[in-house]
Amino acid sequence: MQERFAGTVRAIREVAATDAPPTDRLQEAMALIQQDHPHYEWVGVYILRDDALELGPFVGAPTEHTEIPIGRGVCGTAAATRANQIIGDVRKLDNYLACSATVRSEIVVLVWDREEIIGEIDADCDEVGAFTAADEKFLTVVAAILAPLVRAVQ
Ligand code: SME
């Protein structure tokens, strides 16, 4: 993992280990990501409940997409295909749910509990191509740290 992400991972580990309510710990983790990495203009957690992704803690502008069926949009595609998504330019997608007209790039990294998908971390940026494989590696580590908290609020 790139050095620029290592400090954030340490901070998220510390937050995850506190005895604050799980929702508060998830919220703080999202805030830490955005604070350290400004290209995470919107970043939040979706929780998989009964075949739909329900929006959990997030930072950034409120979104109307608080419940996303499996298969719909970038988030639903990640869950349906069991694969993380990195979208360089969302204008090139047909199956896209716009949170804001200004968003250009998006990343979705799955949260796993062993073989089971229990949620996702989703991030948006107004710049084209903002997210790379380095972000995917970072968010994969974050997802593993946060998985017990996602399970706790599921
Ligand atoms: N763009 C996502 C919807 C969630 S918002 O970005 C917060 C999608 O296409 O699934």
Side-chain angles (χ1 to χ4, degrees):
M1 191 177 42
Q2 287 185 346
E3 186 51 37
R4 66 188 166 125
F5 292 122
T8 315
V9 165
R10 276 195 294 276
I12 290 174
R13 271 194 219 287
E14 282 176 23
V15 163
T18 67
D19 54 10
T23 303
D24 294 359
R25 284 182 270 169
L26 289 169
Q27 183 73 55
E28 180 62 19
M30 296 304 106
L32 284 167
I33 292 171
Q34 189 186 60
Q35 175 189 305
D36 290 353
H37 307 284
H39 63 300
Y40 286 75
E41 293 171 337
W42 189 99
V43 58
V45 181
Y46 280 92
I47 317 287
L48 186 60
R49 292 191 188 109
D50 299 331
D51 291 337
L53 294 155
E54 292 180 23
L55 183 60
F58 68 93
V59 289
T63 172
E64 65 190 60
H65 301 297
T66 55
E67 190 170 328
I68 301 176
I70 304 301
R72 293 221 37 218
V74 180
C75 294
T77 298
T81 60
R82 298 170 74 82
N84 297 335
Q85 306 287 310
I86 299 178
I87 309 299
D89 190 341
V90 298
R91 292 172 295 187
K92 295 184 177 154
L93 291 186
D94 293 329
N95 191 7
Y96 172 65
L97 304 170
C99 279
S100 138
T102 56
V103 169
R104 291 292 175 264
S105 55
E106 177 157 6
I107 185 168
V108 175
V109 168
L110 294 162
V111 181
W112 296 87
D113 182 356
R114 297 165 198 249
E115 304 292 303
E116 183 187 345
I117 295 166
I118 58 173
E120 301 179 348
I121 300 173
D122 178 27
D124 290 336
C125 182
D126 286 358
E127 302 286 319
V128 169
F131 301 105
T132 68
D135 293 280
E136 184 181 9
K137 277 188 191 162
F138 163 58
L139 291 180
T140 299
V141 174
V142 172
I145 297 168
L146 299 183
L149 302 175
V150 171
R151 192 56 118 178
V153 301
Q154 196 179 23

